[in-house]
Amino acid sequence: MCKMGDIIVVNSYIGDDGEKVSRHSFVVLSDEGGTIAGLDYTMVASVISSFQSEEHRKKVLKREGNMELPIDSKKPDDFKYSSYVKADKAFYFNKKKLDYYVLGYLNNEYFDELLKLVLILAKKGKLKQIVENL
């Protein structure tokens, strides 16, 4: 089981471009169930990606929907490098159908910052809700 703020690794999912993606990290935004577009879900999460270089880091962080996750934002040994979360993309999942495991968790400070960013993006209409994995 996972809970809000956990970092999970999903073994296979449909990305926001409709393509199948294997083994990727997410941060759990909500572990409460609900319905979206007539479909039941049990978890909402945002994808975590790694920076490829310093140039890539600067480019990625110019986008309002991306938030840096420095190494100290996570439990020790979760990641070896700084990464970022794509806060403007909310993936809806059914945990019963999902092959995943819990890797670690975000520190409370960074998780609170992430939730605030997600709410701001939602209010601006900039939060993409991805339901292809239900």
Side-chain angles (χ1 to χ4, degrees):
M1 294 297 294
C2 61
K3 61 187 183 308
M4 288 176 58
D6 279 352
I7 297 171
I8 63 171
V9 176
V10 174
N11 287 314
S12 180
Y13 71 100
I14 306 298
D16 60 314
D17 60 359
E19 297 293 319
K20 189 173 182 178
V21 181
S22 59
R23 205 161 187 274
H24 216 88
S25 301
F26 286 80
V27 60
V28 177
L29 301 175
S30 173
D31 62 345
E32 294 183 18
T35 304
I36 184 168
L39 302 168
D40 293 331
Y41 67 89
T42 56
M43 179 176 65
V44 183
S46 287
V47 71
I48 297 172
S49 292
S50 299
F51 296 118
Q52 305 303 314
S53 64
E54 184 59 27
E55 183 179 310
H56 180 242
R57 179 185 168 278
K58 289 177 184 176
K59 180 180 176 183
V60 163
L61 294 178
K62 286 181 182 177
R63 292 195 60 230
E64 179 182 23
N66 293 330
M67 182 181 128
E68 184 169 12
L69 297 177
I71 292 173
D72 70 346
S73 66
K74 300 165 278 298
K75 182 183 84 172
D77 302 322
D78 282 350
F79 292 101
K80 294 180 183 175
Y81 306 102
S82 292
S83 52
Y84 66 99
V85 62
K86 297 177 182 179
D88 59 347
K89 294 177 176 67
F91 286 81
Y92 289 76
F93 295 105
N94 181 332
K95 288 189 270 188
K96 291 179 183 176
K97 299 178 182 178
L98 191 63
D99 182 17
Y100 73 94
Y101 62 91
V102 177
L103 177 66
Y105 57 86
L106 281 184
N107 293 342
N108 289 338
E109 173 188 347
Y110 290 98
F111 185 66
D112 290 345
E113 186 180 333
L114 173 60
L115 289 180
K116 288 176 189 175
L117 178 57
V118 169
L119 289 173
I120 289 168
L121 293 166
K123 285 181 183 179
K124 291 181 174 182
K126 295 182 177 183
L127 180 64
K128 184 176 182 180
Q129 297 174 315
I130 300 147
V131 299
E132 283 74 19
N133 295 282
L134 294 176

